[in-house]
mmCIF file of all heavy atoms in Angstrom:
data_model
loop_
_atom_site.group_PDB
_atom_site.id
_atom_site.type_symbol
_atom_site.label_atom_id
_atom_site.label_comp_id
_atom_site.label_asym_id
_atom_site.label_seq_id
_atom_site.Cartn_x
_atom_site.Cartn_y
_atom_site.Cartn_z
ATOM 1 N N ALA Y 1 98.581 96.923 109.394
ATOM 2 C CA ALA Y 1 97.423 96.209 109.953
ATOM 3 C C ALA Y 1 97.776 95.512 111.230
ATOM 4 O O ALA Y 1 98.886 95.043 111.428
ATOM 5 C CB ALA Y 1 96.849 95.184 108.927
ATOM 6 N N GLY Y 2 96.793 95.440 112.158
ATOM 7 C CA GLY Y 2 97.016 94.691 113.373
ATOM 8 C C GLY Y 2 97.842 95.433 114.448
ATOM 9 O O GLY Y 2 98.181 94.835 115.439
ATOM 10 N N ALA Y 3 98.162 96.683 114.278
ATOM 11 C CA ALA Y 3 98.949 97.454 115.184
ATOM 12 C C ALA Y 3 98.150 97.635 116.496
ATOM 13 O O ALA Y 3 96.968 97.920 116.425
ATOM 14 C CB ALA Y 3 99.331 98.824 114.656
ATOM 15 N N PRO Y 4 98.737 97.477 117.642
ATOM 16 C CA PRO Y 4 98.039 97.603 118.920
ATOM 17 C C PRO Y 4 97.508 98.979 119.163
ATOM 18 O O PRO Y 4 96.492 99.157 119.866
ATOM 19 C CB PRO Y 4 99.056 97.168 120.014
ATOM 20 C CG PRO Y 4 100.388 97.362 119.353
ATOM 21 C CD PRO Y 4 100.169 97.066 117.905
ATOM 22 N N GLU Y 5 98.198 100.008 118.637
ATOM 23 C CA GLU Y 5 97.738 101.396 118.796
ATOM 24 C C GLU Y 5 97.548 101.996 117.361
ATOM 25 O O GLU Y 5 98.481 102.574 116.818
ATOM 26 C CB GLU Y 5 98.701 102.227 119.551
ATOM 27 C CG GLU Y 5 98.917 101.712 121.006
ATOM 28 C CD GLU Y 5 99.881 102.595 121.769
ATOM 29 O OE1 GLU Y 5 99.620 103.774 121.879
ATOM 30 O OE2 GLU Y 5 100.965 102.037 122.176
ATOM 31 N N PRO Y 6 96.350 101.885 116.771
ATOM 32 C CA PRO Y 6 96.135 102.280 115.425
ATOM 33 C C PRO Y 6 96.454 103.813 115.137
ATOM 34 O O PRO Y 6 96.946 104.148 114.093
ATOM 35 C CB PRO Y 6 94.670 101.982 115.197
ATOM 36 C CG PRO Y 6 94.344 100.921 116.169
ATOM 37 C CD PRO Y 6 95.116 101.201 117.318
ATOM 38 N N VAL Y 7 96.129 104.641 116.178
ATOM 39 C CA VAL Y 7 96.390 106.081 115.928
ATOM 40 C C VAL Y 7 97.920 106.298 115.760
ATOM 41 O O VAL Y 7 98.352 107.032 114.863
ATOM 42 C CB VAL Y 7 95.808 106.917 117.099
ATOM 43 C CG1 VAL Y 7 96.294 108.335 116.914
ATOM 44 C CG2 VAL Y 7 94.318 106.818 117.110
ATOM 45 N N ARG Y 8 98.714 105.699 116.585
ATOM 46 C CA ARG Y 8 100.139 105.795 116.480
ATOM 47 C C ARG Y 8 100.637 105.197 115.153
ATOM 48 O O ARG Y 8 101.558 105.721 114.498
ATOM 49 C CB ARG Y 8 100.851 105.196 117.629
ATOM 50 C CG ARG Y 8 100.610 105.921 119.009
ATOM 51 C CD ARG Y 8 101.505 105.374 120.072
ATOM 52 N NE ARG Y 8 102.916 105.653 119.809
ATOM 53 C CZ ARG Y 8 103.935 105.338 120.616
ATOM 54 N NH1 ARG Y 8 103.645 104.677 121.774
ATOM 55 N NH2 ARG Y 8 105.160 105.624 120.313
ATOM 56 N N ALA Y 9 99.982 104.092 114.823
ATOM 57 C CA ALA Y 9 100.384 103.420 113.518
ATOM 58 C C ALA Y 9 100.130 104.306 112.339
ATOM 59 O O ALA Y 9 100.968 104.399 111.447
ATOM 60 C CB ALA Y 9 99.666 102.074 113.381
ATOM 61 N N VAL Y 10 98.973 104.951 112.310
ATOM 62 C CA VAL Y 10 98.639 105.825 111.116
ATOM 63 C C VAL Y 10 99.562 107.035 111.106
ATOM 64 O O VAL Y 10 99.938 107.486 110.018
ATOM 65 C CB VAL Y 10 97.149 106.208 111.134
ATOM 66 C CG1 VAL Y 10 96.833 107.315 112.109
ATOM 67 C CG2 VAL Y 10 96.718 106.527 109.716
ATOM 68 N N GLN Y 11 99.919 107.544 112.293
ATOM 69 C CA GLN Y 11 100.847 108.656 112.283
ATOM 70 C C GLN Y 11 102.212 108.317 111.748
ATOM 71 O O GLN Y 11 102.920 109.174 111.228
ATOM 72 C CB GLN Y 11 100.996 109.208 113.734
ATOM 73 C CG GLN Y 11 99.657 109.867 114.206
ATOM 74 C CD GLN Y 11 99.651 110.219 115.700
ATOM 75 O OE1 GLN Y 11 100.620 109.849 116.389
ATOM 76 N NE2 GLN Y 11 98.634 110.855 116.144
ATOM 77 N N ALA Y 12 102.606 107.047 111.917
ATOM 78 C CA ALA Y 12 103.886 106.555 111.452
ATOM 79 C C ALA Y 12 103.805 105.838 110.111
ATOM 80 O O ALA Y 12 104.655 105.027 109.714
ATOM 81 C CB ALA Y 12 104.471 105.628 112.444
ATOM 82 N N GLY Y 13 102.667 106.104 109.390
ATOM 83 C CA GLY Y 13 102.455 105.436 108.110
ATOM 84 C C GLY Y 13 103.277 106.052 106.991
ATOM 85 O O GLY Y 13 104.219 106.818 107.304
ATOM 86 N N ALA Y 14 102.892 105.765 105.783
ATOM 87 C CA ALA Y 14 103.638 106.187 104.569
ATOM 88 C C ALA Y 14 102.761 106.151 103.388
ATOM 89 O O ALA Y 14 101.670 105.561 103.385
ATOM 90 C CB ALA Y 14 104.834 105.311 104.376
ATOM 91 N N ARG Y 15 103.189 106.836 102.345
ATOM 92 C CA ARG Y 15 102.486 106.830 101.007
ATOM 93 C C ARG Y 15 102.860 105.494 100.263
ATOM 94 O O ARG Y 15 104.053 105.144 100.146
ATOM 95 C CB ARG Y 15 102.859 107.973 100.131
ATOM 96 C CG ARG Y 15 102.468 109.381 100.688
ATOM 97 C CD ARG Y 15 100.931 109.632 100.434
ATOM 98 N NE ARG Y 15 100.541 110.936 100.970
ATOM 99 C CZ ARG Y 15 99.327 111.250 101.222
ATOM 100 N NH1 ARG Y 15 98.329 110.403 101.006
ATOM 101 N NH2 ARG Y 15 99.022 112.422 101.711
ATOM 102 N N LEU Y 16 101.828 104.794 99.853
ATOM 103 C CA LEU Y 16 102.075 103.506 99.308
ATOM 104 C C LEU Y 16 103.032 103.497 98.139
ATOM 105 O O LEU Y 16 103.846 102.649 97.981
ATOM 106 C CB LEU Y 16 100.702 102.922 98.833
ATOM 107 C CG LEU Y 16 100.710 101.539 98.161
ATOM 108 C CD1 LEU Y 16 101.256 100.445 99.085
ATOM 109 C CD2 LEU Y 16 99.328 101.149 97.667
ATOM 110 N N PHE Y 17 102.946 104.548 97.264
ATOM 111 C CA PHE Y 17 103.768 104.542 96.089
ATOM 112 C C PHE Y 17 104.941 105.553 96.152
ATOM 113 O O PHE Y 17 105.588 105.791 95.086
ATOM 114 C CB PHE Y 17 102.849 104.969 94.884
ATOM 115 C CG PHE Y 17 101.739 103.949 94.595
ATOM 116 C CD1 PHE Y 17 100.404 104.370 94.630
ATOM 117 C CD2 PHE Y 17 102.038 102.645 94.340
ATOM 118 C CE1 PHE Y 17 99.425 103.472 94.415
ATOM 119 C CE2 PHE Y 17 101.067 101.729 94.100
ATOM 120 C CZ PHE Y 17 99.735 102.155 94.062
ATOM 121 N N ALA Y 18 105.217 106.065 97.337
ATOM 122 C CA ALA Y 18 106.354 107.028 97.461
ATOM 123 C C ALA Y 18 107.164 106.717 98.655
ATOM 124 O O ALA Y 18 107.531 107.565 99.413
ATOM 125 C CB ALA Y 18 105.733 108.411 97.534
ATOM 126 N N SER Y 19 107.539 105.410 98.843
ATOM 127 C CA SER Y 19 108.320 104.973 100.022
ATOM 128 C C SER Y 19 109.364 103.985 99.534
ATOM 129 O O SER Y 19 109.329 102.874 99.879
ATOM 130 C CB SER Y 19 107.410 104.336 101.040
ATOM 131 O OG SER Y 19 106.381 105.238 101.432
ATOM 132 N N PRO Y 20 110.369 104.459 98.749
ATOM 133 C CA PRO Y 20 111.329 103.551 98.164
ATOM 134 C C PRO Y 20 112.359 103.044 99.157
ATOM 135 O O PRO Y 20 112.976 102.014 98.818
ATOM 136 C CB PRO Y 20 111.988 104.422 97.079
ATOM 137 C CG PRO Y 20 111.903 105.852 97.594
ATOM 138 C CD PRO Y 20 110.565 105.870 98.304
ATOM 139 N N ASP Y 21 112.583 103.766 100.241
ATOM 140 C CA ASP Y 21 113.728 103.343 101.106
ATOM 141 C C ASP Y 21 113.439 103.659 102.547
ATOM 142 O O ASP Y 21 114.400 103.991 103.345
ATOM 143 C CB ASP Y 21 115.003 104.017 100.598
ATOM 144 C CG ASP Y 21 114.897 105.530 100.663
ATOM 145 O OD1 ASP Y 21 113.827 106.060 100.929
ATOM 146 O OD2 ASP Y 21 115.971 106.163 100.465
ATOM 147 N N LEU Y 22 112.201 103.616 103.033
ATOM 148 C CA LEU Y 22 111.921 103.944 104.404
ATOM 149 C C LEU Y 22 112.300 102.767 105.278
ATOM 150 O O LEU Y 22 111.845 101.626 105.084
ATOM 151 C CB LEU Y 22 110.425 104.269 104.628
ATOM 152 C CG LEU Y 22 109.961 105.482 103.812
ATOM 153 C CD1 LEU Y 22 108.488 105.745 104.175
ATOM 154 C CD2 LEU Y 22 110.778 106.708 104.093
ATOM 155 N N PRO Y 23 113.127 102.954 106.274
ATOM 156 C CA PRO Y 23 113.591 101.840 107.132
ATOM 157 C C PRO Y 23 112.456 101.184 107.979
ATOM 158 O O PRO Y 23 112.526 100.050 108.241
ATOM 159 C CB PRO Y 23 114.619 102.492 107.997
ATOM 160 C CG PRO Y 23 114.355 103.937 108.013
ATOM 161 C CD PRO Y 23 113.856 104.218 106.635
ATOM 162 N N ASP Y 24 111.384 101.984 108.247
ATOM 163 C CA ASP Y 24 110.269 101.411 109.035
ATOM 164 C C ASP Y 24 109.204 100.827 108.122
ATOM 165 O O ASP Y 24 108.263 100.265 108.652
ATOM 166 C CB ASP Y 24 109.693 102.513 109.953
ATOM 167 C CG ASP Y 24 109.311 103.769 109.240
ATOM 168 O OD1 ASP Y 24 109.808 104.011 108.115
ATOM 169 O OD2 ASP Y 24 108.443 104.510 109.726
ATOM 170 N N HIS Y 25 109.388 100.921 106.866
ATOM 171 C CA HIS Y 25 108.412 100.317 105.956
ATOM 172 C C HIS Y 25 109.106 99.728 104.716
ATOM 173 O O HIS Y 25 108.812 100.124 103.563
ATOM 174 C CB HIS Y 25 107.364 101.376 105.443
ATOM 175 C CG HIS Y 25 106.423 101.827 106.531
ATOM 176 N ND1 HIS Y 25 105.409 101.057 107.041
ATOM 177 C CD2 HIS Y 25 106.394 102.986 107.198
ATOM 178 C CE1 HIS Y 25 104.789 101.761 107.999
ATOM 179 N NE2 HIS Y 25 105.315 102.918 108.071
ATOM 180 N N PRO Y 26 110.003 98.774 104.960
ATOM 181 C CA PRO Y 26 110.786 98.287 103.785
ATOM 182 C C PRO Y 26 109.933 97.495 102.788
ATOM 183 O O PRO Y 26 110.263 97.444 101.595
ATOM 184 C CB PRO Y 26 111.783 97.289 104.433
ATOM 185 C CG PRO Y 26 111.155 96.969 105.824
ATOM 186 C CD PRO Y 26 110.424 98.195 106.205
ATOM 187 N N GLU Y 27 108.777 97.013 103.259
ATOM 188 C CA GLU Y 27 107.898 96.221 102.357
ATOM 189 C C GLU Y 27 107.331 97.121 101.251
ATOM 190 O O GLU Y 27 106.949 96.590 100.176
ATOM 191 C CB GLU Y 27 106.677 95.630 103.081
ATOM 192 C CG GLU Y 27 107.102 94.735 104.302
ATOM 193 C CD GLU Y 27 107.096 95.517 105.602
ATOM 194 O OE1 GLU Y 27 107.495 96.740 105.568
ATOM 195 O OE2 GLU Y 27 106.652 94.956 106.592
ATOM 196 N N LEU Y 28 107.279 98.403 101.470
ATOM 197 C CA LEU Y 28 106.599 99.282 100.492
ATOM 198 C C LEU Y 28 107.548 99.692 99.353
ATOM 199 O O LEU Y 28 107.110 100.193 98.307
ATOM 200 C CB LEU Y 28 106.130 100.610 101.152
ATOM 201 C CG LEU Y 28 105.124 100.407 102.249
ATOM 202 C CD1 LEU Y 28 104.720 101.779 102.750
ATOM 203 C CD2 LEU Y 28 103.929 99.654 101.747
ATOM 204 N N ALA Y 29 108.800 99.288 99.446
ATOM 205 C CA ALA Y 29 109.849 99.718 98.408
ATOM 206 C C ALA Y 29 109.390 99.081 97.026
ATOM 207 O O ALA Y 29 109.614 99.718 95.990
ATOM 208 C CB ALA Y 29 111.220 99.156 98.783
ATOM 209 N N ARG Y 30 108.807 97.915 97.059
ATOM 210 C CA ARG Y 30 108.465 97.228 95.764
ATOM 211 C C ARG Y 30 107.376 98.000 95.016
ATOM 212 O O ARG Y 30 107.247 97.826 93.766
ATOM 213 C CB ARG Y 30 108.026 95.801 96.062
ATOM 214 C CG ARG Y 30 106.712 95.722 96.798
ATOM 215 C CD ARG Y 30 106.275 94.251 96.982
ATOM 216 N NE ARG Y 30 105.978 93.631 95.707
ATOM 217 C CZ ARG Y 30 105.203 92.519 95.544
ATOM 218 N NH1 ARG Y 30 104.716 91.923 96.605
ATOM 219 N NH2 ARG Y 30 105.038 92.032 94.389
ATOM 220 N N TRP Y 31 106.596 98.816 95.656
ATOM 221 C CA TRP Y 31 105.545 99.555 95.049
ATOM 222 C C TRP Y 31 105.934 100.979 94.706
ATOM 223 O O TRP Y 31 105.135 101.730 94.094
ATOM 224 C CB TRP Y 31 104.283 99.632 95.949
ATOM 225 C CG TRP Y 31 103.863 98.318 96.448
ATOM 226 C CD1 TRP Y 31 103.684 97.937 97.738
ATOM 227 C CD2 TRP Y 31 103.480 97.145 95.681
ATOM 228 N NE1 TRP Y 31 103.256 96.645 97.888
ATOM 229 C CE2 TRP Y 31 103.184 96.088 96.578
ATOM 230 C CE3 TRP Y 31 103.517 96.852 94.330
ATOM 231 C CZ2 TRP Y 31 102.851 94.827 96.191
ATOM 232 C CZ3 TRP Y 31 103.182 95.575 93.916
ATOM 233 C CH2 TRP Y 31 102.847 94.544 94.834
ATOM 234 N N ALA Y 32 107.122 101.422 95.046
ATOM 235 C CA ALA Y 32 107.499 102.842 94.840
ATOM 236 C C ALA Y 32 107.473 103.194 93.340
ATOM 237 O O ALA Y 32 108.072 102.464 92.489
ATOM 238 C CB ALA Y 32 108.918 103.021 95.410
ATOM 239 N N LEU Y 33 106.906 104.324 92.985
ATOM 240 C CA LEU Y 33 106.936 104.912 91.697
ATOM 241 C C LEU Y 33 107.938 106.024 91.594
ATOM 242 O O LEU Y 33 108.012 106.666 90.568
ATOM 243 C CB LEU Y 33 105.522 105.336 91.313
ATOM 244 C CG LEU Y 33 104.441 104.274 91.342
ATOM 245 C CD1 LEU Y 33 103.061 104.863 90.957
ATOM 246 C CD2 LEU Y 33 104.750 103.126 90.435
ATOM 247 N N VAL Y 34 108.531 106.310 92.752
ATOM 248 C CA VAL Y 34 109.468 107.446 92.805
ATOM 249 C C VAL Y 34 110.777 106.936 93.411
ATOM 250 O O VAL Y 34 110.839 106.220 94.394
ATOM 251 C CB VAL Y 34 108.894 108.593 93.753
ATOM 252 C CG1 VAL Y 34 109.822 109.783 93.758
ATOM 253 C CG2 VAL Y 34 107.487 108.977 93.313
ATOM 254 N N PRO Y 35 111.936 107.305 92.744
ATOM 255 C CA PRO Y 35 113.266 106.926 93.361
ATOM 256 C C PRO Y 35 113.579 107.718 94.582
ATOM 257 O O PRO Y 35 112.991 108.765 94.782
ATOM 258 C CB PRO Y 35 114.237 107.138 92.126
ATOM 259 C CG PRO Y 35 113.560 108.280 91.430
ATOM 260 C CD PRO Y 35 112.083 108.076 91.511
ATOM 261 N N PRO Y 36 114.503 107.287 95.379
ATOM 262 C CA PRO Y 36 114.882 108.030 96.614
ATOM 263 C C PRO Y 36 115.254 109.468 96.265
ATOM 264 O O PRO Y 36 114.901 110.378 97.095
ATOM 265 C CB PRO Y 36 116.107 107.253 97.100
ATOM 266 C CG PRO Y 36 115.900 105.886 96.628
ATOM 267 C CD PRO Y 36 115.260 105.991 95.285
ATOM 268 N N GLU Y 37 115.913 109.707 95.237
ATOM 269 C CA GLU Y 37 116.311 111.093 94.903
ATOM 270 C C GLU Y 37 115.138 111.979 94.497
ATOM 271 O O GLU Y 37 115.287 113.239 94.364
ATOM 272 C CB GLU Y 37 117.389 111.158 93.791
ATOM 273 C CG GLU Y 37 116.978 110.571 92.504
ATOM 274 C CD GLU Y 37 117.228 109.036 92.375
ATOM 275 O OE1 GLU Y 37 117.472 108.437 93.453
ATOM 276 O OE2 GLU Y 37 117.242 108.513 91.295
#
C-alpha cells in the first residue's frame, strides 16, 4: 500500500499465503501456508 507507482508495485507483488521467504516481502512470511521447498 502507498507505493508511488501502483502498477509497478502490483507487478512486484506476491501471493499472501505462498511467500515464505521472499526477500522483497519478508512481512508475508508469517502468513505462509507453504514451506520454501
Side-chain angles (χ1 to χ4, degrees):
E5 297 182 60
V7 173
R8 293 190 63 179
V10 80
Q11 292 170 353
R15 294 282 179 200
L16 179 61
F17 298 121
S19 304
D21 60 352
L22 298 183
D24 53 337
H25 292 287
E27 305 95 322
L28 299 184
R30 65 177 297 202
W31 310 123
L33 302 180
V34 184
E37 60 272 17

